[in-house]
Amino acid sequence: MNRFASIVLAVTLLLGPGNSVQAQSREQVISEIRASIMSADAVGLARQTVSSVEIALFGEGRFYSRGQATLLLKEFFGDFPPDDFKIINFTQTPSAWFLEGAYQTKASKSPIPIFMRLRNSRGVWKIRELLIEEADG
Amino acid sequence: MAETPHPLLEAVWSRNSRLVLTFLVLAALFTWVGGIWDVSRLDSVHSELSAEKRVEAVTLIQAELDNLYADLRSRASKIARQEEVVDGFRRLEENQSGREELVQIAASLRLDARQFVEFYDPTPTLTAWNGAVFPMDSAVQDERFLGQVQESLVLDGPSRTAVIVWVPVRDGTSVLGVIRLGQMVESKMPLKNDYLRDYTWDEEWSRRLGRTVEFTFGETVRTSVEGDYLIRSPLDFPVGSVSITDADLAAWRTIKKARYADVLAFWLFMLIFYVVVRSTSILWRYAPVGGASRVAKGTVSGYLGILLISRWILLIAHIPSRWQTGKAPLAPLFDPQHLASVFGFGSLRTIGDLFITALAISLGALMILRLSAPLRERIQSILGYTNSQVSLRVVSSIVLHQIVVLFLAGILFQIAQHAVLDSTLALFARSGLLPEQLVIVVFGALLLLVFSVILLAGRSLWLVTEAFRVQFDVLPSKKSLLLVVGTTAAVITALIAFVEPVGILLPAEIFIIVVSVTYVTAFIGPIQPTRRSPIVVLRRIVPMVIVTSMVLFPMLEMSSNRKVEMRMQDAAESFLEDRDSRVMFAISQVLGDARSDEFGDNLELVPADEGFARRSQLDSLVESVTKGSPLSALATYDVTITLFDDGGSVQGRYSNLNRRLPRAMQDVADESEFGLFTAMYDDFGNSGSMIEKLTGSKDQNRFRYAGFQLLRGDGFILVLAEQRALAGSAASPFPKVLSPGGYYGERYSDLSVAEFRDGVLVRTEGKNFGRTIMDRNVTVRLRGETELWTLESVRDREYQTYYRVEESLEQNAGIGVTAVRRRTTNVFDQLYHLLRIVVAGLFLAMPFYFGGLFFRLRNPSLQPDVRQFRDKVLNAFFSVGIITVVAMGFVGLGVVTEENEQAIESWLRQHLERVEQTLDLETRGEELPYRVLDRISVDSLAARVGLDLNVYHNLEVEQASRPELIRDRLIERRLPIEAYEALYFKGFRFITVEEKLGTFAYKAGYLALTDERGIPHYVVSIPTLPEQERIEEERARTVAYLFGALLLLVLVVMVTASLLANALTRPIAQLRAGLKAVAAGHFERISKVDTGDEIADLVDSFNTMQDQIEESRNLLGQQERQMAWREMARQVAHEIKNPLTPMKLSIQHLRTAFNRRSEDGSDDDKFSRKFSQTTTTLIEQIDTLARIANEFSSFGRMPKHIREEVNLNDVIAEAVELMQAEDNVIIEMELHPKTLIVSGDREAVRRVYVNFLKNAIQAVPDDRIAEISVSTNLETDVRGVSWVLGRVSDNGSGIPRNLWEKIFVPSFSTKTSGTGLGLAIARRTIESMDGEIGFDTELNSGTTFWIKVPLSVTETRSEGHSGSESDSKASKEPESGADLPAGSRPN
């Protein structure tokens, strides 16, 4: 294979998957979010947010860039390492999903409520709002 | 042969370094081992330690409580002892007239935050107050009340708690009154936002102690609960209890480990710090000695490697962010909520990390700059060459250099962009002149980076040319060079502009700016310090800061615009599906009110019959919950609130619909929906408040919001808010300060959003969409597009608008377009933004300036030798300009503030007059307006005037249109003391008072409604909350524009000052150069100055003077020459006359003797003797005449010295030998053992020494034994030049003081036989050898004549001196030169 063909192949492999939008199933999206949270994968979770995501960490919500959200979530996972995460409520409208989850940490008895709102933008579901609230008790 | 280690490495790895490094490693080791041991023993001591820590914490809390009470007691006692206070109470006791005095005193008290004070008479009745209003506490019931100081605590509902101190006011032994001073320890807000924050000891102490701390204030002390501790006031008043939660064993372990890890990190930090500081200081000192060529490239790379590795270690170890948690002073710097970027592999992780990274890069850049300084100096001369050929090497080096600039600028732009995009800071908020602290740090870090990049990019030009081995003597001319530079830059700019991926990484404008500044830096080198002008002076720092800021500004501006555009895109997407947070909040407020006991009680009070009265009462009850709610302010929504019984029958309703269905029909419609909401509520869990966003009932493209909840007892409440078909742009008067955070979310804060269907506006939010149809041009341009960005001008205002075509969810729904619009920034906005960056830059530069100033003051040697006139002029212009600008700023700010105050006061006055007019209209007969308030409710009045109102009666709020503000303690229920004083004692009808809601300052207007006696019966107040926000926004904009204009003025002043200084100083510099030339003996005219002013006259005068001087000089020279000839003739005549007299006498004697012999035939022998004697004398005199002629001839003829290398010792020896033989004296010689080669005329030098020796011999009186000595020595001056010092000393009579000046003057001599030319000739000889001549003398002790001539170069090298470039040249000559016999070496 000559060099030109190698470059074409490499570019195709790099760009190809990014250019096509696969239809996402609800289970698939939720499963990916859950997996990111369970493995404290801030980078993975941030990858599933819109470019400017609203995050509220035990207080007032603000809009963060994806990069900023990564570091913010990393800090959250560092302070509250995950033990379990369950989706306890799910509702949907044509263009939005609402998730309510219970985030169980190793240190706390009560789970931390996490609310997420996902937006469908041209076929892709992304987290637009992530609210992390104080655990009861 | 062993390789010598590099001196840098050797210095870094010195003995001291090894000691320090060993210590740090050992300390880290001990910490690590100690940590393991300490953590391992936790199992056994955990419970004991927990108890210990608990007791420590409680002791600390108790101590602080004691201090708080002590402070309050002290302050209250001080007030109680004030003479005016005692006097006021005394007068109050006598005839009531002291109340005004006490009110004045209370109003003037400056209290700490969260403090309040009250003055009571002994009854106790309130007399005066200041600050928050709390209910009475239990202290008044104490039998010792008024007898002694009382300590207490008061709870103001569930939201506020304060500790209280009562101090009696005494007049001797009698008690006149009592002072109550309190301080809040708990203040809970009903909502949180930027202005309203909770303050609780729970949070305060939990943060301080790092564990959960809970206080229970009041009498319900849980003493029985384990882990609770009672806390008491110093006088044993039970304040409450505190509960401290222990961390469990695992948490303890984690905490302990973290602490030891922190200490370990400290040792690591010290290690890194030492290595960096040591290597920096060594390399910095080493650089000027070695220069770029001497410092190996490996060393530079090694140093940069040290910096890089150190930075990464700090990042990996989270240093110093790991030590900055909780309330640590620098904690916000390391909080990712402000700024956090994954760009840069973590080096921009937080603001603090960004700043440290910038510092490290700056350090590296400065080091590179220092090491390559010699290279720059060498290359500076290229600007003088005029070769028109452009070699390939030159072109290649410029292309490569611009690629380097492109790379550096690209990285810089990306960092700046991420600092904006990955930040939640409002970098360009209109918050006044000074940006907030974190913003200053961000700007500072970015400015450091810009500065470093400019320096590196400038210097890299020379490094690249060096790398390409460009020969500097064949460089092209300036024009050719500019052509190459310009063409290369144009090609790269085109590449950036047309190749999109490159353009995204670095916009073309930024490249052009950076590359331009780079070339200015590379050629002009504005930051090169000089002896005459040090770098850390304001006139250099300020322009540098401004230029750096101007480079950074477009990067930040572009990034900010990019961020806004992203927000606009996001707003467009979310507008269709978003929940309106205002509505959600408003519904939650209504449901909250419906849950309250008050509503429940009122509901139960409504009679349970089925009649009209019940329904009417329930309707009123439902309407009451909308009072003061933001729901009533939602002009764009149809709001319906319905009460249902358990069976779903409508019991009561409120609706703001203008056209309503008949009640029966509406009831049926509502009842049909009841099933839907109860089903949803079942899913919701059948408890609490359910708030949902639903599809609109009439139009699926619009939404409605529903709030549903169970009522106390039976029934449900349903709140429905549905968007109206066409939303007007009615702004909500509900103030932002009373809205929770996010209510006015960041998303729409300065944006207006609109939705168009088939080109018709269907709904909007914000103020910027005033037209009900979409612009036809936009419709055309949108065809076939999914989105469109436009710049539009609407009614002279510029907007940027983003249009997005929406995919319709419904068939036949028409084409939907969402538009988002924002006002574009104008030039004053941009100047203001630039100003903020400049201010941050000045903050950053000030430490350097003051540091430089300190060092200059400490080291006078650092002061410039000459203070340039241009600098003085520039300083003067700068000072005047800056003072003017500051003065204008102050005056302008004062005017804006004053205007603002007046606008608010005027607004308040007008609206209070409207209230009064409204009341007037309602009066009956002669009734005064206050009577109307007895009949109508404040809600009704507020609705009529369209404002929020509070009505005070007997100093307390009696009615309020927003009662929840009083209930939640956001507004105090008592009249402010300032209003009380003005309205009740000073007789004003209207007063404005500054008040605070959390941290939000606002004005409230108070109007007294007087009774028939002229005493205020009611006081009506209007808070300016919504209006205040609007006026504050206007003020912020005006101030921003003012500052922007001032920056423009500063720039103009600086440029003008610079131009004026140049214009003023250029002719003066010309004059100076002309004067210097005159001093040097050159009479050249200076260039004409065409300014037509005094300076031009001065230059003309100078040139005229030059001509005159030159003419005079020529005349003078002629006269001097004549004088010299005359003098010479006189001297010759004089000298010749001297021997002529004895000659004449001798001949006369001889003739007389001859005649006498002829006459008397006397003795022939006698005549023979006489003849012999006389002829001898004649011969001597003729010799003298010949000698005189020779010497004059010698002086008159400028000696043509033949320069040769002469061994001075040899010449001296010859002269000594000659003189010893002639005069028969012993001359002592102390000659330097080495051969002393000097450059001069051998014969002339010998004559110098012969002259010296002759003078020395002749100077010794006859009664002394002559002690003449000759010596030579070698010495080296500070510049490393070697000199030969030759001395001839005698023990003669010395030279009198009055003759010192004449010693080397021609024709001067102390001897009758001398011509006085010997020493003058000696001086000429020595000066022709570039040497010096002189003498030291002491009367009657002797004289030493000395000469100082430079040792020849050849000889210097042979002695082993080294270190300069001349050495290396000398080394090419034969080494044996010094040992050659004098005069045998080639010239």
Side-chain angles (χ1 to χ4, degrees), chain B residues 102 147 401 416 473 658 673 917 1021 1054:
Chain B
L102 291 173
H401 172 247
D473 52 349
N658 292 329
E673 283 197 324
Q917 285 163 4
S1021 90
M1054 286 177 67

Side-chain angles (χ1 to χ4, degrees), chain B residues 697-744:
Chain B
S697 59
K698 299 162 198 152
D699 183 346
Q700 295 216 346
N701 289 310
R702 289 194 289 271
F703 306 109
R704 61 176 180 161
Y705 296 85
F708 193 75
Q709 77 175 22
L710 202 59
L711 291 170
R712 198 180 78 181
D714 298 330
F716 297 88
I717 182 168
L718 170 67
V719 185
L720 282 172
E722 182 160 7
Q723 284 174 331
R724 285 184 180 157
L726 174 62
S729 58
S732 163
F734 198 76
K736 196 192 291 185
V737 64
L738 294 177
S739 309
Y743 172 77
Y744 277 81

Side-chain angles (χ1 to χ4, degrees), chain B residues 834-859:
Chain B
L834 176 61
L835 178 70
R836 283 171 73 90
I837 304 173
V838 171
V839 168
L842 290 176
F843 263 96
L844 186 73
M846 280 306 108
F848 293 100
Y849 170 69
F850 286 114
L853 193 66
F854 177 75
F855 278 110
R856 283 210 307 279
L857 292 175
R858 289 276 307 258
N859 302 295

Side-chain angles (χ1 to χ4, degrees), chain B residues 177 543 980 1246:
Chain B
Y980 179 49
R1246 194 166 64 83

Side-chain angles (χ1 to χ4, degrees), chain A residues 43 50-57 59-76 89 91 93-98 100 106-107 109 115-123 128-129 131 137, chain B residues 192-194 197 248 334-342 348-350 421-425 563 566-567 569-571 573-579 683 692-693 695 741-742 745-748 786-787 802 804-805 807 809:
Chain A
V43 178
V50 292
S51 60
S52 176
V53 58
E54 184 176 358
I55 297 179
L57 272 177
E60 194 180 330
R62 283 175 182 275
F63 285 90
Y64 297 98
S65 70
R66 203 176 285 146
Q68 202 173 0
T70 306
L71 294 169
L72 210 64
L73 290 169
K74 206 175 263 184
E75 195 162 270
F76 169 74
N89 202 354
T91 53
T93 66
S95 59
W97 291 349
F98 300 92
E100 184 183 353
K106 286 171 182 163
K109 290 169 195 165
F115 300 93
M116 272 180 245
R117 189 148 62 92
L118 288 85
R119 180 172 72 195
N120 187 343
S121 181
R122 298 193 162 102
R128 182 167 174 252
E129 202 173 332
L131 311 177
Chain B
K192 280 97 186 159
N193 56 31
D194 287 345
R197 301 264 176 216
D248 62 18
F334 299 97
D335 186 347
Q337 290 198 49
H338 303 303
L339 184 148
S341 179
V342 289
L348 320 177
R349 199 168 49 192
T350 57
L421 295 181
D422 293 340
S423 159
T424 48
L425 296 170
K563 192 172 184 178
M566 285 167 64
R567 207 153 56 86
Q569 286 173 314
D570 189 60
E573 275 195 14
S574 57
F575 189 57
L576 282 182
E577 50 93 11
D578 206 356
R579 292 177 297 177
D683 286 345
E692 293 291 342
K693 180 184 169 191
T695 307
E746 292 175 47
R747 195 181 304 273
Y748 302 142
T786 54
E787 57 181 18
Y802 170 68
R804 177 189 161 110
V805 180
E807 295 165 20
L809 300 172

Side-chain angles (χ1 to χ4, degrees), chain B residues 1123-1144:
Chain B
M1123 288 282 287
W1125 277 113
R1126 281 183 197 144
E1127 179 65 15
M1128 178 67 83
R1130 193 184 64 77
Q1131 287 287 336
V1132 170
H1134 173 73
E1135 294 298 335
I1136 288 174
K1137 263 170 68 184
N1138 281 346
L1140 283 180
T1141 304
M1143 281 171 76
K1144 187 181 175 186

Side-chain angles (χ1 to χ4, degrees), chain B residues 20-260:
Chain B
V20 172
L21 296 178
T22 309
F23 167 75
L24 291 172
V25 169
L26 282 177
L29 198 66
F30 279 125
T31 307
W32 182 58
V33 172
I36 292 174
W37 171 78
D38 198 20
V39 171
S40 68
R41 75 189 182 101
L42 265 182
D43 285 342
S44 54
V45 298
H46 168 241
S47 54
E48 192 184 325
L49 268 178
S50 294
E52 207 174 286
K53 292 277 176 194
R54 259 200 322 266
V55 171
E56 268 177 30
V58 171
T59 311
L60 188 64
I61 290 167
Q62 182 62 60
E64 285 228 357
L65 184 69
D66 291 347
N67 283 340
L68 176 61
Y69 270 108
D71 288 346
L72 288 176
R73 210 164 45 229
S74 161
R75 180 85 204 264
S77 301
K78 208 176 277 178
I79 296 169
R81 281 197 302 272
Q82 275 182 34
E83 206 172 303
E84 298 84 3
V85 173
V86 176
D87 187 52
F89 273 110
R90 199 183 294 129
R91 287 171 58 199
L92 181 71
E93 191 182 49
E94 287 164 4
N95 55 11
Q96 295 288 315
S97 65
R99 183 181 295 272
E100 184 180 351
E101 195 175 336
L102 291 173
V103 167
Q104 274 180 4
I105 294 167
S108 65
L109 285 175
R110 294 284 164 266
L111 299 170
D112 295 341
R114 291 188 282 274
Q115 276 189 355
F116 57 92
V117 68
E118 287 169 347
F119 293 6
Y120 288 88
D121 67 12
T123 51
T125 302
L126 184 68
T127 309
W129 62 93
N130 194 347
V133 179
F134 272 76
M136 195 56 83
D137 53 272
S138 60
V140 287
Q141 290 154 9
D142 194 297
E143 57 189 18
R144 291 164 297 180
F145 184 67
L146 300 181
Q148 63 178 62
V149 172
Q150 297 287 316
E151 291 171 347
S152 179
L153 180 93
V154 61
L155 277 71
D156 184 21
S159 58
R160 297 200 298 192
T161 307
V163 292
I164 301 286
V165 163
W166 293 83
V167 174
V169 179
R170 297 176 192 278
D171 183 13
T173 53
S174 62
V175 176
L176 300 174
V178 62
I179 305 294
R180 184 195 193 206
L181 184 64
Q183 176 149 338
M184 279 185 260
V185 291
E186 218 170 40
S187 169
K188 294 176 187 164
M189 297 294 168
L191 48 93
K192 280 97 186 159
N193 56 31
D194 287 345
Y195 306 104
L196 304 177
R197 301 264 176 216
D198 282 353
Y199 170 78
T200 62
W201 272 22
D202 289 0
E203 278 183 28
E204 181 87 4
W205 283 97
S206 296
R207 202 162 39 222
R208 280 177 63 176
L209 299 177
R211 61 182 78 182
T212 309
V213 180
E214 282 179 24
F215 287 86
T216 308
F217 293 108
E219 293 173 3
T220 53
V221 177
R222 300 179 299 166
T223 46
S224 57
V225 179
E226 194 184 349
D228 276 16
Y229 297 84
L230 189 66
I231 49 173
R232 291 177 169 278
S233 75
L235 295 179
D236 213 27
F237 181 84
V239 172
S241 68
V242 57
S243 150
I244 299 170
T245 309
D246 288 332
D248 62 18
L249 187 57
W252 263 89
R253 258 200 210 106
T254 310
I255 291 167
K256 278 266 180 195
K257 279 181 185 169
R259 280 187 189 156
Y260 280 102

Side-chain angles (χ1 to χ4, degrees), chain B residues 203-444:
Chain B
E203 278 183 28
E204 181 87 4
W205 283 97
S206 296
R207 202 162 39 222
R208 280 177 63 176
L209 299 177
R211 61 182 78 182
T212 309
V213 180
E214 282 179 24
F215 287 86
T216 308
F217 293 108
E219 293 173 3
T220 53
V221 177
R222 300 179 299 166
T223 46
S224 57
V225 179
E226 194 184 349
D228 276 16
Y229 297 84
L230 189 66
I231 49 173
R232 291 177 169 278
S233 75
L235 295 179
D236 213 27
F237 181 84
V239 172
S241 68
V242 57
S243 150
I244 299 170
T245 309
D246 288 332
D248 62 18
L249 187 57
W252 263 89
R253 258 200 210 106
T254 310
I255 291 167
K256 278 266 180 195
K257 279 181 185 169
R259 280 187 189 156
Y260 280 102
D262 282 351
V263 180
L264 270 174
F266 173 74
W267 296 125
L268 180 66
F269 169 73
M270 292 304 290
L271 190 77
I272 290 169
F273 183 74
Y274 181 79
V275 171
V276 170
V277 169
R278 180 92 179 132
S279 54
T280 304
S281 66
I282 290 169
L283 200 56
W284 192 262
R285 273 183 279 140
Y286 186 72
V289 180
S293 56
R294 294 290 301 273
V295 179
K297 285 172 190 161
T299 310
V300 180
S301 311
Y303 176 73
L304 296 179
I306 288 175
L307 283 184
L308 191 70
I309 293 168
S310 303
R311 182 72 197 105
W312 291 124
I313 292 174
L314 293 182
L315 278 172
I316 291 165
H318 289 268
I319 298 171
S321 57
R322 65 183 310 130
W323 303 316
Q324 299 293 330
T325 54
K327 282 189 85 176
L330 301 179
L333 284 178
F334 299 97
D335 186 347
Q337 290 198 49
H338 303 303
L339 184 148
S341 179
V342 289
F343 179 78
F345 306 102
S347 56
L348 320 177
R349 199 168 49 192
T350 57
I351 296 174
D353 287 315
L354 170 66
F355 196 77
I356 293 169
T357 304
L359 281 179
I361 290 174
S362 309
L363 193 60
L366 283 176
M367 188 59 83
I368 290 174
L369 213 68
R370 187 167 171 85
L371 293 176
S372 59
L375 193 65
R376 179 185 182 280
E377 284 161 17
R378 188 145 62 91
I379 301 168
Q380 275 294 298
S381 57
I382 67 161
L383 289 173
Y385 286 95
T386 54
N387 192 341
S388 59
Q389 287 183 340
V390 180
S391 70
L392 185 63
R393 286 188 178 191
V394 170
V395 175
S396 307
S397 62
I398 287 173
V399 170
L400 181 63
H401 172 247
Q402 294 206 8
I403 291 171
V404 170
V405 175
L406 179 76
F407 175 73
L408 289 173
I411 291 180
L412 182 64
F413 178 71
Q414 287 301 313
I415 291 175
Q417 192 175 38
H418 280 89
V420 174
L421 295 181
D422 293 340
S423 159
T424 48
L425 296 170
L427 297 180
F428 295 127
R430 291 185 184 126
S431 57
L433 179 60
L434 293 182
E436 65 169 293
Q437 291 164 354
L438 291 178
V439 174
I440 288 179
V441 179
V442 173
F443 283 157

